[in-house]
Amino acid sequence: MNNLEVIDITSLSGTEYAYLPYTGFILNKQLLQSDSRRSIEYQKLEEKYKREFDKSLTPATPEEIEFYIKRFGFQELILEVTTGCNLRCEYCIFSGNYNVQRRHGKSNAEFKDLKKAIDYYYSQLKMNRLFNVNRRPTVAFYGGEPLLNYKAIKQCIDYIKEKYSEFDTFFTITTNGTLLNEDIMKYFIKNEVWLVFSLDGDKTTHDRNRKRKDGKGSFDEVFANIKKYQEMKKGIVFINSVYDYKTNLQDVIEFLFHHKNLANLSASMVNPYGTNYFDSFSEEDVRKFVRNYSLLQNMFFKQLKDGGYRKNPETSTLNLIVGKPAMSILLRKQIGMKTNPFFPFTGACIPGEKIFVDINGTINPCEKIGKGMTIGSSDEGLNYINIANYVNKFQIILKDCFDCKYRGLCSLCYQAFWDGNRFLKDQKNCNASISNIRDALSLFVSMSELQPHWIDAYSSDFFETIQNLELSLL
């Protein structure tokens, strides 16, 4: 095992494991050390995948990028329909706390301009249908608060359904929920628009960060509309939530436990990249959060150990908060294989896999990147020369990653490196990523010791619930 490159993992019980970064195997370290023949076999298998994984970064040509996007791109069209918002959430990326993001605006997109982006998107789907016959169009409406421009959203949906009826388009909107009325709800339900509400939890938790312009909390308005929407839809309502170091996650879990009609799709920490948001928290805030998080972790472990994890309604939210990091890091890539032909590691996509069209008609890789990383326009389409240039510049900063044994599990993308003009590597982001990887691996083996089938159980239970409600998740 001396020549076998591994990531050492220790479970909470003290058992030592070895994670093999190329094949993705997790092995008991003691057993591996005691069996030299098996150790050699694993080493040969690792070397086989390493040769493929660690091929030199080859500069991409515009032609190669175009061929890749034809096969795997255009997965989603995200339309920025407004730069405005009627709330002023403390952690919003448009609050002024993020370096490369715009500020809150007042502009609404006009349908004639959105139509250009729509026509370009569907023209590419038609043209490249032979490359991916099963590709289903997804159109998302983004803001600001998208419903400030509901008129344009409705025009877009009606237009797509009429002109591109040959496609089974999936429509989705994430909303703060304050501007919904009965007519809008009826329209979204009739047209099968997948609506996701931003709800951080109970009233105290939600109102601390998600505020109106006058500083008052938005919970009462949002929750009233959620209840009305749930009654009209006659099914569960999807939400996502965000937390920070002052969030009491136990209160969030109890709130969701008592509102079983809410399905939390995502519970995540505030975006940490390029922001001064976290400067407002004290060391005591962080220590208190870590202590409370440890209590939730112990609660989750107890449910796993006692075998009641499939019967306890609290478990789904606990798993989302505690267990998801362990699942995500191991399921993101299969046996350490690279995700695309241009980057052997990191979580970066190839710009064009999905396209974000801002209010000016500029095409960007996604809604999270911020300003400056332009890859085309709704008038001219994707600029494959620009995309190839970004890919090749990103490859340059990856060259010193070859010496990092955590590279195959790294999920950092452009967002962690883009400063508005160029890619820069900040070692603090790398160190944080390594720490998260180590914690997630330790969590995974600890949970697997307590309940070997927990991943299968949670996955099957989740989808069974959705199927029983005759809903479809994509």
Side-chain angles (χ1 to χ4, degrees):
M1 185 175 164
N2 293 337
N3 296 324
L4 191 60
E5 182 183 46
V6 302
I7 296 175
D8 294 321
I9 314 169
T10 303
S11 70
L12 295 179
S13 70
T15 305
E16 294 185 333
Y17 295 87
Y19 177 84
L20 279 56
Y22 296 104
T23 58
F25 293 137
I26 297 178
L27 308 170
N28 184 291
K29 198 170 183 179
Q30 185 177 1
L31 293 177
L32 188 62
Q33 289 173 332
S34 64
D35 191 337
S36 58
R37 182 183 61 82
R38 180 165 295 182
S39 178
I40 292 172
E41 290 175 353
Y42 279 119
Q43 184 172 334
K44 289 180 179 178
L45 193 57
E46 279 286 285
E47 289 173 351
K48 174 185 175 182
Y49 282 109
K50 186 178 189 297
R51 286 192 295 271
E52 172 64 26
F53 193 80
D54 279 358
K55 284 181 178 177
S56 297
L57 292 168
T58 304
T61 67
E63 292 76 20
E64 289 172 327
I65 293 292
E66 183 175 5
F67 181 73
Y68 178 87
I69 296 303
K70 284 180 176 179
R71 292 189 64 193
F72 303 109
F74 302 105
Q75 296 170 14
E76 182 178 14
L77 169 64
I78 307 169
L79 295 171
E80 184 179 49
V81 295
T82 182
T83 61
C85 188
N86 60 320
L87 298 186
R88 287 297 181 267
C89 302
E90 298 288 347
Y91 51 64
C92 179
I93 61 173
F94 306 130
S95 63
N97 292 323
Y98 286 82
N99 300 333
V100 299
Q101 296 288 349
R102 64 168 175 81
R103 302 290 293 267
H104 290 296
K106 297 180 180 179
S107 302
N108 283 342
E110 295 186 19
F111 171 66
K112 64 181 178 63
D113 297 319
L114 297 170
K115 179 177 172 293
K116 293 179 185 177
I118 291 169
D119 288 338
Y120 171 70
Y121 178 66
Y122 282 91
S123 73
Q124 295 303 301
L125 292 179
K126 286 183 176 181
M127 188 183 307
N128 303 316
R129 182 173 281 174
L130 289 178
F131 288 97
N132 189 341
V133 295
N134 295 317
R135 182 161 36 196
R136 183 186 183 189
T138 294
V139 177
F141 299 98
Y142 188 75
E145 167 49 43
L147 295 187
L148 282 172
N149 199 4
Y150 169 68
K151 177 182 177 181
I153 292 173
K154 184 175 183 298
Q155 287 175 309
C156 288
I157 294 174
D158 290 343
Y159 176 71
I160 291 170
K161 281 183 167 286
E162 179 180 351
K163 183 164 184 179
Y164 301 107
S165 57
E166 65 197 271
F167 291 97
D168 179 21
T169 301
F170 179 71
F171 297 102
T172 179
I173 300 173
T174 297
T175 175
N176 65 36
T178 60
L179 300 177
L180 283 167
N181 58 42
E182 188 170 324
D183 288 339
I184 296 176
M185 292 181 191
K186 285 181 178 177
Y187 179 82
F188 285 159
I189 292 170
K190 177 183 177 182
N191 288 278
E192 299 179 311
V193 177
W194 203 44
L195 203 60
V196 181
F197 289 82
S198 295
L199 185 73
D200 284 353
D202 59 285
K203 179 176 172 61
T204 300
T205 299
H206 181 92
D207 284 347
R208 182 172 61 83
N209 280 325
R210 301 193 61 82
K211 301 173 183 178
R212 300 179 344 189
K213 290 181 180 180
D214 60 7
K216 295 181 180 179
S218 60
F219 178 86
D220 291 337
E221 293 174 90
V222 177
F223 201 63
N225 280 334
I226 285 176
K227 289 195 290 186
K228 186 182 299 183
Y229 181 69
Q230 192 272 330
E231 290 169 2
M232 292 178 63
K233 185 186 178 193
K234 304 187 187 308
I236 63 174
V237 175
F238 296 107
I239 67 169
N240 58 33
S241 56
V242 176
Y243 57 86
D244 59 27
Y245 288 128
K246 286 189 176 180
T247 302
N248 187 326
L249 293 175
Q250 181 62 54
D251 289 345
V252 176
I253 290 172
E254 287 187 16
F255 172 79
L256 293 173
F257 173 74
H258 292 294
H259 295 89
K260 298 178 178 59
N261 62 309
L262 300 179
N264 198 347
L265 297 176
S266 172
S268 56
M269 178 62 85
V270 171
N271 183 345
Y273 300 117
T275 181
N276 59 9
Y277 178 80
F278 291 93
D279 295 348
S280 63
F281 299 102
S282 66
E283 291 183 3
E284 178 55 30
D285 290 332
V286 177
R287 283 194 292 267
K288 184 177 179 181
F289 178 85
V290 171
R291 286 196 300 268
N292 290 337
Y293 187 87
S294 296
L295 293 176
L296 292 180
Q297 193 176 68
N298 291 336
M299 183 191 306
F300 186 49
F301 287 164
K302 185 177 186 302
Q303 291 181 7
L304 288 175
K305 185 176 181 180
D306 294 345
Y309 62 100
R310 297 198 68 162
K311 300 176 182 179
N312 194 330
E314 287 184 326
T315 305
S316 60
T317 305
L318 271 173
N319 183 53
L320 194 64
I321 294 172
V322 178
K324 184 180 178 181
M327 287 195 296
S328 298
I329 200 169
L330 292 172
L331 300 180
R332 190 177 66 85
K333 297 179 180 176
Q334 294 180 348
I335 62 171
M337 294 300 288
K338 55 187 181 179
T339 54
N340 62 62
F342 307 104
F343 305 137
F345 32 76
T346 77
C349 68
I350 301 303
E353 289 184 18
K354 65 178 181 178
I355 58 175
F356 169 61
V357 182
D358 69 20
I359 201 163
N360 300 311
T362 300
I363 301 179
N364 304 278
C366 77
E367 72 282 8
K368 298 177 181 178
I369 299 300
K371 55 192 176 185
M373 195 173 172
T374 302
I375 60 171
S377 70
S378 54
D379 286 322
E380 302 294 332
L382 288 179
N383 186 322
Y384 293 107
I385 295 176
N386 277 8
I387 297 175
N389 285 336
Y390 285 126
V391 168
N392 295 334
K393 288 176 181 178
F394 192 65
Q395 284 183 348
I396 292 172
I397 71 166
L398 297 183
K399 287 186 176 179
D400 60 353
C401 297
F402 279 102
D403 296 327
C404 177
K405 63 183 177 182
Y406 298 92
R407 59 198 176 280
L409 291 174
C410 178
S411 62
L412 296 181
C413 72
Y414 305 119
Q415 185 185 16
F417 303 101
W418 183 250
D419 75 344
N421 295 297
R422 57 180 176 165
F423 296 116
L424 290 175
K425 180 176 287 188
D426 185 339
Q427 192 58 43
K428 289 188 295 185
N429 288 337
C430 293
N431 293 341
S433 177
I434 290 171
S435 178
N436 290 337
I437 290 170
R438 293 190 61 82
D439 290 344
L441 288 171
S442 175
L443 179 64
F444 178 87
V445 294
S446 300
M447 293 164 68
S448 297
E449 285 178 354
L450 294 170
Q451 180 49 252
H453 304 295
W454 65 272
I455 288 183
D456 292 338
Y458 291 129
S459 298
S460 61
D461 282 357
F462 177 75
F463 286 108
E464 181 181 338
T465 300
I466 299 300
Q467 288 168 356
N468 288 342
L469 291 159
E470 296 183 345
L471 294 170
S472 170
L473 281 182
L474 298 178

